[in-house]
Amino acid sequence: MCTFTILLGGDLIRTPRLDRQVEGSRVIAADAGIGHARMLGLVPELWVGDFDSVPANLPDDLAAVPRRTFPTEKDQTDGELAIAAALERGATSLVLAGAFGGKRADHAFLHLALALRLAEAGATVLLSSGAQEGVPLLHGKAGFDYADGTLFSVLGFSDLSGLTVTGAKWPLDRVKVAFGSSLTISNEVKGRLEIMLGHGRALLLAHPYPLPES
């Protein structure tokens, strides 16, 4: 498996779990995502984008990262271009770090939808802010290593059927969930979390490192 970490421009905190997830991976930064590299102790092999959001005062090793420059007016976001570059270089597993939050809600939504598309094409995909994680749910069963009490939701991107959730405070057994339903929002891990999906498109969103209330 060839894992690439894609540094995106959304929110990101450093946690021991995120360190383990990116350890040993190859790294590509998308425009402003280069700003996360110093915090994570990473030096990307490539920096992709139109460079309209370059952080100020980058250290020399990050400023010297090879660039692939695109025009501001283009048909793909910097993040999608960075992911495409990783796939060109043989990526089979992707950690999208900084996939949530940030200034652009449309970009954050795109990352969720793009993760589903990539997973359906055969890639392993994890979206992370350090505090939150997203994992596409494909047909069949998947298991997760979250601690008891971890808050999680199943986000449906279509009608869902045959959805079974075990190892949770509120288990489900082969239920149908209408697109847009809040039935699968705000559950909690209780034991070993396993999710089976019969039909539909969905994404698990978990909170392994919840941020303190403001």
Side-chain angles (χ1 to χ4, degrees), residues 158-182:
S158 69
D159 291 339
L160 307 178
S161 63
L163 177 64
T164 296
V165 178
T166 58
K169 184 175 182 179
W170 293 286
L172 298 172
D173 184 16
R174 293 173 291 181
V175 300
K176 292 183 178 180
V177 183
F179 177 56
S181 170
S182 62

Side-chain angles (χ1 to χ4, degrees), residues 118-168:
L118 291 166
E120 290 172 344
T124 299
V125 186
L126 172 71
L127 306 98
S128 182
S129 69
Q132 301 179 76
E133 293 180 1
V135 181
L137 296 173
L138 303 180
H139 303 166
K141 180 184 288 187
F144 303 91
D145 65 347
Y146 298 118
D148 278 10
T150 299
L151 181 70
F152 74 92
S153 298
V154 175
L155 306 180
F157 283 71
S158 69
D159 291 339
L160 307 178
S161 63
L163 177 64
T164 296
V165 178
T166 58

Side-chain angles (χ1 to χ4, degrees), residues 26-136:
R26 298 169 66 179
V27 183
I28 295 178
D31 208 338
I34 194 79
H36 297 315
R38 178 163 43 182
M39 175 184 67
L40 296 177
L42 302 173
V43 177
E45 65 185 64
L46 182 66
W47 189 6
V48 172
D50 53 25
F51 302 103
D52 63 351
S53 305
V54 175
N57 302 316
L58 283 177
D60 291 344
D61 58 343
L62 296 181
V65 169
R67 302 188 185 195
R68 185 180 294 180
T69 305
F70 293 86
T72 302
E73 296 183 356
K74 54 188 183 302
D75 294 332
Q76 295 174 289
T77 65
D78 295 329
E80 189 173 8
L81 291 167
I83 291 168
L87 295 175
E88 289 172 6
R89 295 175 181 224
T92 57
S93 177
L94 297 161
V95 178
L96 307 185
F100 305 119
K103 298 178 181 179
R104 296 286 301 270
D106 50 352
H107 284 206
F109 177 82
L110 170 69
H111 298 149
L112 300 180
L114 182 56
L116 286 170
R117 191 184 78 186
L118 291 166
E120 290 172 344
T124 299
V125 186
L126 172 71
L127 306 98
S128 182
S129 69
Q132 301 179 76
E133 293 180 1
V135 181

